[in-house]
Amino acid sequence: MPSERRIIYRHIDEPGYTTDLACYQRSGGYEVLRKSVLRKPEELVQEVKDAGLKGRGGAGFPCGMKWGFLDRKSGKPVYLICNADESEPGSYKDRQIIYKDPHQLIEGVVCSAFAIQAKLAFIYIRGEMFEGFRILERAIEEARVANFVGNNILGSGYSVDIIVHRGAGCYICGEETGLIESLEGKRGYPRIKPPYFPAVLGLYNCPTIVNNVETLCQVKHVLDMGGKEFAKIGVPADSGTHIWGLSGHVMRPGYYEIEAGKATVRDLLYDFAGGPPPGRSFKALIPGGSSMKILRFGEKFKVKLPDGSAGEWGVLDIPLDGASFMQCGTAMGTGGMIVMDDSADMVEALSNLNSFYAHESCGQCTPCREGSLWLKRITTRVCNGGGRLEDIDLVKNVADQIAGRTICAHGEAVAWPCQSNVPKFRDEWEAKIRAQMQAREHADENAPAVRKGMRLV
Amino acid sequence: MNLLPKTAEYVERLLPRYPQKRSAMLMVLHAIQEEQGYISREAMEWTAQKLEVTPIQVYEVVTFYPMFRQAPIGRRHVKVCRTLSCALRGAYRVCDSLQENLACGLGQTSEDGNFTVEFVECVAACGSAPVVMVDDKIHENITPEKAPDFAAKLKTETTAAMPPSRH
């Protein structure tokens, strides 16, 4: 049975481990920073490139390449923003770091800020994480007193301050350009790219890097072990470890840090998470945050195996790395996996998400603003007993007209759950709607009981 | 605008930390809401002046972000997560139970002014669903079975403490 390999979560939930600086230093904290400020910033960027580190915020963009896009010629100040707006439904991995090991994040931020020579760093934290904000503020104060943050860090001549900035409940502010607008004190309307690539025209139209909490922590470990060593962890296409956060219908929901590609969905769901509730079987899973395309147990995927030969996987066979999920027509996203057993009504599950995305659309782009609302209305009506057979194709049709037609990826986030759920569970949609039609027809007689609402349980 | 000296001083300390004053917008609004319970028209005008922007630029922010409110709520703000991971574990039933036990309709404030119960979207604690936030504190694994006791405890501590009403 595969086991966890805890790098980022090494001290999370360890008995006696606290958020204090002294505790962090007892386990080697800030030693990587001490080593790193003696090196050339370009060397550190190279290490991150060599590591093949991919961003952990959901899109999986190579971190070193992102840093490489920084516009150095403009002469404008460079900013680093840590995206701690963790708001993708199903994801709660960054919360653990912020609440239980804040200094690891701060060390990651300062090392990264030094590598890209940022003038100022921000941690944009979810507004709902009140306590996390206080923990980070306190930790930064401790780090400042110890000269790990602030002026002339450890005598290196490099200075950087970290401002912890609270969001106020908007999912869209997790999108990097929406976040930047929000940090400028405006509505979190994502910006159009081009020209607003953050690395060129970011915060205050200055070159800006936005990295996820876990990514910045990974950077610390890249610099600790060296990029080439780091790249040996995991599989060639996906280095390092992934934190899988399970929720929904499993016996042991929770977080598990596993070397990329070294275990399968089967290992994760059965060995780590204890399988489905008694008497139940798995029906569906959303790999990494609610926006990713849903997988149905029983599906088969034609894939290319690591040795280059053709093969076939079921859902349980999928190795836990980004590239493998891509081969199955979805993506691992943030690793916040939502699992559903055979008790879950898939129409209600989609309707639940449609309500979320309609609520969170910022309203800038017509396809997303109008489309997400219509999707919500249609699926809510189907849940409430007013379904029509043509609704099935209508949901798919509306979704198809949103994806790829918006400024930011919220369009895809709205569309993907619909585009995957409807064709994969068409039988359930039809059965549900036919039962409703029958109930409506026999409204006066002893109509068959029809489940209404979108309560899921 | 009557802000407590504590809040006003906090804002004064905050502004110079940002390269541009307007950036402090959300932080200033949070500080005001924390003190006053909501963001009044007067508070928006005060904020606009402090940040050197127009009042409409503050108003458009207040109306965009779900955490900001323009009217007072109950003494305790009960927020039940309704997004998929919580819903799969009974969040809707939890919400029914809290409404019943706290004598408070959804999105409303109880008659005694003690509670406001709302649904909110995912609060990033999905592994311990269902999740309920009360004011700034998160409560995990509040299953439908545990909800009545949870409500009872909340009632007891609220009546015992009775902070100044925001109602």
Side-chain angles (χ1 to χ4, degrees), chain A residues 13 59 99 181 183 206 297 327 335:
Chain A
D13 301 327
Y99 279 67
E181 284 282 307
L183 190 48
C206 294
F297 285 80
Q327 289 211 65

Side-chain angles (χ1 to χ4, degrees), chain B residues 41-54:
Chain B
R41 195 186 154 131
E42 196 192 358
M44 288 186 243
E45 282 164 4
W46 184 86
T47 305
Q49 209 193 349
K50 276 280 159 202
L51 301 183
E52 294 164 14
V53 295
T54 59

Side-chain angles (χ1 to χ4, degrees), chain A residues 90 92 95 126 130 134 161-163 165-169 182-183 186-188 204 247-250 352 455, chain B residues 17-18 20 23 27 30 60 63-67 82 84-85 88-90 96 121-124 126-127 136:
Chain A
Y92 54 99
R95 173 189 283 275
R126 272 198 81 145
F130 293 87
R134 291 192 278 261
D161 193 12
I162 305 176
I163 297 180
H165 187 89
R166 293 180 61 201
S182 177
L183 190 48
K186 303 169 191 164
R187 287 184 158 202
Y204 315 126
S247 62
H249 296 150
V250 287
N352 181 290
R455 311 167 58 83
Chain B
R17 295 193 67 196
Y18 287 87
Q20 293 183 8
S23 272
M27 297 296 277
H30 274 306
E60 66 174 9
T63 53
F64 186 77
Y65 294 86
M67 283 180 76
R82 62 149 292 280
L84 191 54
S85 301
L88 286 169
R89 289 194 160 243
D96 289 345
E121 299 297 346
C122 185
V123 296
C126 319
D136 59 1

Side-chain angles (χ1 to χ4, degrees), chain B residues 5-163:
Chain B
K6 192 180 81 168
T7 312
E9 284 161 23
Y10 171 78
V11 171
E12 292 306 328
R13 275 201 314 274
L14 195 65
L15 297 187
R17 295 193 67 196
Y18 287 87
Q20 293 183 8
K21 282 184 181 176
R22 187 177 178 179
S23 272
M25 179 84 77
L26 300 187
M27 297 296 277
V28 173
L29 293 172
H30 274 306
I32 293 172
Q33 182 162 286
E34 205 163 294
E35 184 200 302
Q36 308 201 326
Y38 69 105
I39 295 165
S40 63
R41 195 186 154 131
E42 196 192 358
M44 288 186 243
E45 282 164 4
W46 184 86
T47 305
Q49 209 193 349
K50 276 280 159 202
L51 301 183
E52 294 164 14
V53 295
T54 59
I56 188 82
Q57 289 172 318
V58 181
Y59 182 65
E60 66 174 9
V61 166
V62 171
T63 53
F64 186 77
Y65 294 86
M67 283 180 76
F68 296 133
R69 47 184 182 263
Q70 297 180 67
I73 52 162
R75 289 183 185 85
R76 308 298 297 276
H77 193 186
V78 181
K79 293 162 275 190
V80 185
C81 173
R82 62 149 292 280
T83 320
L84 191 54
S85 301
C86 282
L88 286 169
R89 289 194 160 243
Y92 279 73
R93 275 163 61 206
V94 171
C95 193
D96 289 345
S97 171
L98 294 181
Q99 288 178 61
E100 190 190 322
N101 288 291
L102 300 174
C104 181
L106 189 61
Q108 291 169 3
T109 298
S110 60
E111 257 176 49
D112 56 12
N114 277 346
F115 299 101
T116 297
V117 178
E118 279 175 356
F119 262 143
V120 292
E121 299 297 346
C122 185
V123 296
C126 319
S128 37
V131 178
V132 178
M133 283 194 78
V134 179
D135 304 324
D136 59 1
K137 202 166 178 295
I138 194 156
H139 301 269
E140 299 171 295
N141 296 306
I142 307 299
T143 58
E145 295 72 37
K146 288 187 202 160
D149 282 348
F150 179 75
K153 220 177 120 216
L154 209 53
K155 265 170 114 167
T156 318
E157 65 180 49
T158 306
T159 355
M162 275 296 187

Side-chain angles (χ1 to χ4, degrees), chain A residues 26 58 83 114-115 128 156 195 270 273 296 305 327 345 369 388 394 402 431 450 453:
Chain A
R26 274 199 298 279
N83 186 345
F114 177 76
E128 290 88 343
S156 63
Y270 286 95
R296 179 176 188 160
L305 299 171
Q327 289 211 65
D345 180 313
R369 181 186 66 239
R388 307 166 310 179
L394 186 58
I402 303 173
V450 168

